[in-house]
Amino acid sequence: MKKLASPLVLFLALLPITAHTASIGLKPGLWEVSMKMKAGGKEIDPQAELKKALESMPPEQRKQMLEVMKKAGVEAGARGFQICYTKELLDQATSLVSDPEGRCDGKVLSQTATQIKMSFECKDGASGTGDWTIQNSSNYTGVMKLSHKNGQKSEMTQSGKFLKADCGN
């Protein structure tokens, strides 16, 4: 479980920052992001792994993780993760490669109206690349490839679908 939780936690930490850029024209509001992961040659269900990881955490750590996710506008939904992309986040092109928790540093390698390529390095020794394709203002897909310091490779594919302009609470 620990081997799977580590890439999952990193992917979840990076999830809210993966599609924030103004020039690609994504709509602000509530989005549903579906993910598929591969780590150590195995398919992983990110929602199930998150649930297991949260259940295995001491109560204070679980509370802290849920607060970090909520602060980032991320909540596990029925078919994926629901994320609130605010206009302020979408207006800040630099938020694409910034990690609010300061665990990873990233940079945009190239950007067009429909595609963004990035790379990142994390303080724990992990590094990787990301490639996002914007189909239109309501849909995007992406892939993130991660190399851990222990040599393990992980990959996450995701698709984002705009749900509604109001994020609620």
Side-chain angles (χ1 to χ4, degrees):
M1 175 64 189
K2 282 193 176 233
K3 285 187 178 183
L4 298 180
S6 177
L8 177 65
V9 171
L10 179 60
F11 283 134
L12 290 174
L14 294 172
L15 182 62
I17 64 170
T18 59
H20 299 162
T21 185
S23 64
I24 58 174
L26 292 177
K27 293 179 184 179
L30 188 63
W31 285 71
E32 185 167 75
V33 179
S34 302
M35 294 187 299
K36 293 181 182 177
M37 286 181 58
K38 290 182 185 178
K42 295 180 181 179
E43 293 279 334
I44 300 168
D45 176 352
Q47 280 189 255
E49 291 301 319
L50 175 62
K51 184 177 179 183
K52 283 188 223 175
L54 288 170
E55 288 172 353
S56 70
M57 291 178 182
E60 188 58 35
Q61 186 181 9
R62 178 177 34 247
K63 181 181 175 187
Q64 183 180 14
M65 180 66 167
L66 289 170
E67 286 174 5
V68 167
M69 289 173 58
K70 185 176 181 176
K71 184 177 178 182
V74 178
E75 182 178 328
R79 292 184 210 111
F81 294 92
Q82 291 188 350
I83 302 173
C84 182
Y85 291 144
T86 65
K87 181 180 182 327
E88 293 77 22
L89 288 171
L90 294 170
D91 284 346
Q92 298 173 14
T94 57
S95 66
L96 173 67
V97 293
S98 65
D99 175 6
E101 301 296 316
R103 293 174 295 235
C104 301
D105 292 316
K107 63 181 176 178
V108 174
L109 302 174
S110 66
Q111 180 176 351
T112 67
T114 60
Q115 190 169 42
I116 301 165
K117 293 181 183 275
M118 64 172 279
S119 67
F120 60 91
E121 291 189 33
C122 300
K123 292 178 181 174
D124 69 358
S127 63
T129 60
D131 188 356
W132 284 266
T133 303
I134 306 344
Q135 282 83 30
N136 55 50
S137 64
S138 298
N139 295 280
Y140 72 89
T141 59
V143 62
M144 180 182 289
K145 295 182 180 185
L146 178 68
S147 297
H148 303 272
K149 68 179 179 180
N150 66 3
Q152 182 183 4
K153 306 271 187 212
S154 302
E155 181 176 297
M156 178 186 74
T157 57
Q158 68 182 54
S159 61
K161 177 183 173 185
F162 178 78
L163 295 177
K164 60 183 180 177
D166 181 13
C167 290
N169 295 331

